[in-house]
Amino acid sequence: TIFQALGWEQRKDENKVTATGKEWWYHFKADELKRVNPSALVPTLIPIDRDGKPDEEKSVYESLITIDYVDAIANPANEELRLVPSDPYLSAKCRYWADKVNRECCSPYYGVLVRTEEQEQKENFDKLVTGLKAFSREIEKNGDGRGFLGGGRLSNTDVALMPWAFRYYIFEHYRGYAIPVHEPELHAYKEWFDYVFSLESVKRTLPDKDKYLEHIGKYADSSARSKVANAVRRGVAAHELEDEKDTY
């Protein structure tokens, strides 16, 4: 048995699930995580009570929800520092677009990698680019490309897309596809990309590109066994995973 960081464990493909002769199981899950989150997925937040003990009954999970939760806990007095605007309209707009980019610009990412047929990979890539073009048209309305809301302010929509936008470089390495950022329809997206990744607060959160390429290679060669990989392998989008169907 081979173990790697981030919880990967290599096993034989005894049931021919991956059809690669091997399986990389996203294996380690702390007992605490399994107790507080039915899906045992990250991110999962467990607040600390006044006595300094974990309050497991108040755990919060799912990426977009945890962003909103942390922003509400921080509750900055400066409106420009809020990820979720206090204005009801802007708040609704950002939540809508955070969910939209999650479904259209993030979820297809795994379809490009996990699906083994070239046509299916390309279909997922095209879906992702279509989602980016919709995002680009929306931010173009702000005029300056400095964040989804413009003016240099970051929102939960920006935070939802940034980790995935950073990772798109892996497509060219593993699939030969590149985001067509020089197309006019993606001009505003390119400005947004250049701005958000110039911020020091963002730069210090980014992984090493070479190490991430190695990590994600387990999805690219279809040997990964995780709930997300299993969902995409059975033909649904990553965000449509089901605990019972996609467990391993």
Side-chain angles (χ1 to χ4, degrees):
T1 301
I2 300 174
F3 290 92
Q4 287 189 355
L6 297 176
W8 289 112
E9 176 192 351
Q10 188 180 95
R11 299 183 180 184
K12 292 182 179 180
D13 187 16
E14 294 179 348
N15 296 318
K16 302 187 185 305
V17 174
T18 68
T20 63
K22 62 183 178 181
E23 294 181 351
W24 281 101
W25 285 50
Y26 207 40
H27 184 67
F28 176 76
K29 291 182 173 66
D31 290 338
E32 186 179 30
L33 176 60
K34 290 187 283 189
R35 283 198 306 271
V36 302
N37 182 341
S39 299
L41 298 174
V42 293
T44 295
L45 306 179
I46 305 173
I48 303 299
D49 65 21
R50 293 180 180 180
D51 296 324
K53 298 179 180 179
D55 190 349
E56 295 186 358
E57 292 185 357
K58 293 185 178 180
S59 61
V60 178
Y61 38 87
E62 298 293 337
S63 297
L64 300 184
I65 294 172
T66 58
I67 294 171
D68 288 13
Y69 176 78
V70 170
D71 191 62
I73 292 294
N75 193 27
N78 183 346
E79 177 67 24
E80 295 301 305
L81 297 179
R82 292 177 179 270
L83 293 174
V84 182
S86 58
D87 177 88
Y89 167 70
L90 292 179
S91 173
K93 176 181 178 179
C94 286
R95 286 191 170 100
Y96 169 81
W97 277 94
D99 178 66
K100 185 176 175 67
V101 299
N102 180 57
R103 288 182 285 105
E104 298 181 5
C105 304
C106 308
S107 197
Y109 171 92
Y110 286 103
V112 179
L113 293 176
V114 176
R115 301 303 297 175
T116 57
E117 296 294 328
E118 185 175 349
Q119 180 180 346
E120 293 176 325
Q121 295 168 359
K122 187 63 165 59
E123 286 174 354
N124 277 280
F125 181 75
D126 289 343
K127 286 179 185 178
L128 190 152
V129 172
T130 298
L132 287 180
K133 288 181 178 179
F135 175 75
S136 189
R137 288 192 297 272
E138 186 63 26
I139 58 178
E140 193 169 17
K141 298 174 183 178
N142 299 321
D144 66 5
R146 298 172 65 239
F148 177 70
L149 294 174
R153 173 182 182 173
L154 292 182
S155 70
N156 53 338
T157 305
D158 299 294
V159 176
L161 180 57
M162 284 190 301
W164 303 96
F166 174 77
R167 300 171 192 175
Y168 291 159
Y169 72 94
I170 64 98
F171 292 146
E172 193 162 7
H173 180 86
Y174 285 115
R175 295 292 181 259
Y177 305 147
I179 303 297
V181 293
H182 297 298
E183 290 187 7
E185 288 179 278
L186 288 175
H187 177 74
Y189 165 75
K190 177 65 164 55
E191 287 188 333
W192 171 88
F193 183 98
D194 291 343
Y195 171 72
V196 297
F197 291 110
S198 72
L199 300 174
E200 289 300 323
S201 58
V202 174
K203 286 181 181 179
R204 61 176 177 258
T205 70
L206 302 176
D208 178 87
K209 284 190 170 183
D210 291 335
K211 290 181 179 178
Y212 184 73
L213 268 178
E214 181 181 358
H215 164 77
I216 205 64
K218 297 170 181 62
Y219 286 89
D221 69 9
S222 200
S223 62
R225 288 295 303 275
S226 67
K227 286 188 176 181
V228 167
N230 290 351
V232 175
R233 193 175 284 117
R234 70 178 173 87
V236 301
H239 65 272
E240 296 174 324
L241 70 84
E242 297 181 34
D243 291 330
E244 292 185 3
K245 291 183 179 180
D246 301 314
T247 192
Y248 57 101

